Amino acid sequence: GTIAEKLPKLVPIQQNTSMNVWDIVTQAIAHVLQNIIGSIGQPFVQALSYFTTSTPLMGDNSSVFNMWLAIVGIPDVLFVLVVALLGFQVMSFSTLGFEELDIKQILPQMALVFLLMNTSIFAIDGVISLSNAMIYALQSGFQSTSIWDLLATMTKQASDLGLGALLVMIAFLVLTVMLLVYYVGRLITLYIGAVLSPILLLLYLLPAFKDFAITALKIYLTTIFVLFVQVVIMQLASSLFVGMLTGDKSSQPNTLMALILGLATVLALLKTQGVMKELSYAASTPRAAREMAGSFMRGVGYMHQAERTTVKGAKIVGKFVKSNPGKASKKGYNSDHTGEGGTSSRTKGLPEAPMLRTGETRTAASPIGGD
């Protein structure tokens, strides 16, 4: 059978038909809940179909585009100040203790950032178009009934449910409202990010704000592509809903189980954004560890190479002292302190400066082997 038939069938227990005070109160509460579900359930559920079909382009909103044009002028003016600050840091990093900047890397970055600042909204629309194309390809290859139409059908069947099932339906509607608020907030976040993107790109040039700009870019991309993951969840859930609401082999709809599946689906959609952010943060930790380990290994390699160079130089000095004692004495090398391996026991192979009297000067020694 289908996957929906393998799920447990939840059948409400038939209540006692005798009427008493509590039965009248229960029916009154159920009638109120049915009115609430019937009035707001279907409109709220169907409103979600607008936000889960595709992501609107930033340039299509005239208010966002005009505000982006106004914001672009601010970083364009501040770009001159940032370039001046970077030039000052390049010239005075050793004096004032700034972080050293490679001029060969900073010049291409400045050119790329200036280009992106003035075309950021078009680049964002390109990324959003890619996400919409992925969603369209998924929906074309996996055609199914819209999950929101199925959930709207489920809200119409609320009149046949008991008081307990109506309470579960109310919990489902609360999560639906939360999901609707999330999609509106996601759209506002995309608009704000598109408007402020030129300023964020300018901050990327400053070393102190580079990590902040990269993190903001990751979150923004996650906010765009989270809809594709949510569409995958909705496509898989809709395949289960069809069998539950249309009925199994006995033509009896499994409404209660469909309600539980609707709760699980909406909850999964609400958690998708947080899970993707956590995965993004978790992916940055191993990268930082690898960079730190690479820096440590480069430092150890440099120290090892410096030690080998020092020992090699000490051996050359030792051989020179042994083979030319007269010339070594003339150049100021002390053979009494040269060890077995050509290294001095006190100076590790470095030449010992001869003692001079007060006011006496001596010409600097020429390289080894010279006159």
Side-chain angles (χ1 to χ4, degrees):
T2 62
I3 299 178
E5 294 177 358
K6 297 179 181 180
L7 294 175
K9 183 175 180 59
L10 302 180
V11 180
I13 299 176
Q14 297 295 330
Q15 300 179 356
N16 189 2
T17 57
S18 62
M19 295 297 294
N20 52 38
V21 177
W22 297 112
D23 293 335
I24 296 175
V25 173
T26 301
Q27 290 181 2
I29 296 175
H31 184 68
V32 172
L33 295 179
Q34 288 173 1
N35 289 334
I36 295 175
I37 295 172
S39 60
I40 68 173
Q42 186 176 357
F44 274 64
V45 171
Q46 289 182 343
L48 290 171
S49 61
Y50 168 77
F51 296 99
T52 56
T53 303
S54 62
T55 303
L57 299 179
M58 303 294 102
D60 292 343
N61 191 326
S62 59
S63 300
V64 173
F65 187 78
N66 293 334
M67 189 173 294
W68 174 81
L69 288 176
I71 293 292
V72 165
I74 299 176
D76 282 345
V77 174
L78 294 178
F79 184 79
V80 180
L81 178 61
V82 171
V83 171
L85 290 175
L86 292 176
F88 175 76
Q89 182 172 349
V90 170
M91 292 184 293
S92 59
F93 74 92
S94 59
T95 304
L96 301 179
F98 289 140
E99 181 184 357
E100 183 179 0
L101 294 177
D102 190 358
I103 194 65
K104 295 181 180 179
Q105 295 180 357
I106 198 64
L107 287 178
Q109 288 181 3
M110 287 191 296
L112 180 61
V113 166
F114 184 79
L115 177 62
L116 290 177
M117 281 194 311
N118 293 273
T119 59
S120 59
I121 194 169
F122 304 106
I124 291 173
D125 282 347
V127 176
I128 293 176
S129 299
L130 175 62
S131 175
N132 292 338
M134 294 169 60
I135 294 173
Y136 177 77
L138 179 64
Q139 293 176 344
S140 300
F142 190 81
Q143 296 181 358
S144 62
T145 307
S146 174
I147 186 174
W148 306 121
D149 295 336
L150 297 173
L151 291 175
T153 303
M154 185 177 65
T155 58
K156 295 179 182 178
Q157 301 174 356
S159 58
D160 301 332
L161 302 178
L163 180 60
L166 289 175
L167 292 177
V168 179
M169 176 67 77
I170 291 296
F172 166 75
L173 288 181
V174 171
L175 292 178
T176 302
V177 173
M178 293 175 58
L179 184 62
L180 188 60
V181 172
Y182 160 75
Y183 280 122
V184 175
R186 172 181 176 269
L187 190 58
I188 294 175
T189 302
L190 293 177
Y191 284 149
I192 294 175
V195 170
L196 298 180
S197 57
I199 298 178
L200 186 66
L201 289 169
L202 184 64
L203 292 178
Y204 178 79
L205 290 177
L206 300 177
F209 292 93
K210 182 172 292 187
D211 294 333
F212 169 77
I214 294 176
T215 303
L217 177 61
K218 289 181 180 179
I219 295 176
Y220 195 78
L221 292 177
T222 302
T223 306
I224 292 176
F225 286 99
V226 69
L227 184 60
F228 175 76
V229 181
Q230 291 175 337
V231 169
V232 173
I233 297 174
M234 290 185 290
Q235 292 284 348
L236 295 176
S238 63
S239 62
L240 301 179
F241 268 107
V242 174
M244 292 181 181
L245 296 179
T246 57
D248 53 8
K249 295 179 180 179
S250 60
S251 300
Q252 295 295 325
N254 194 357
T255 308
L256 288 179
M257 195 62 202
L259 182 59
I260 298 299
L261 183 58
L263 279 170
T265 302
V266 175
L267 190 60
L269 296 177
L270 287 171
K271 287 181 171 294
T272 304
Q273 179 76 31
V275 172
M276 293 185 66
K277 286 184 179 180
E278 291 176 0
L279 291 176
S280 176
Y281 295 149
S284 61
T285 304
R287 178 183 177 184
R290 288 193 298 267
E291 291 179 354
M292 184 174 63
S295 300
F296 176 76
M297 294 304 297
R298 286 193 297 269
V300 171
Y302 175 78
M303 294 175 61
H304 181 66
Q305 184 179 2
E307 182 182 1
R308 291 181 58 185
T309 303
T310 304
V311 172
K312 184 177 180 181
K315 290 181 178 180
I316 294 176
V317 172
K319 291 180 181 179
F320 175 75
V321 170
K322 290 182 180 180
S323 59
N324 303 284
K327 189 178 293 186
S329 176
K330 180 180 179 182
K331 292 184 177 294
Y333 295 106
N334 191 350
S335 59
D336 296 335
H337 298 283
T338 304
E340 181 176 334
T343 59
S344 172
S345 60
R346 187 176 64 184
T347 61
K348 299 296 181 182
L350 297 177
E352 183 177 351
M355 298 297 295
L356 301 177
R357 298 178 182 178
T358 304
E360 183 180 2
T361 60
R362 184 187 295 274
T363 305
S366 60
I368 300 175
D371 296 333

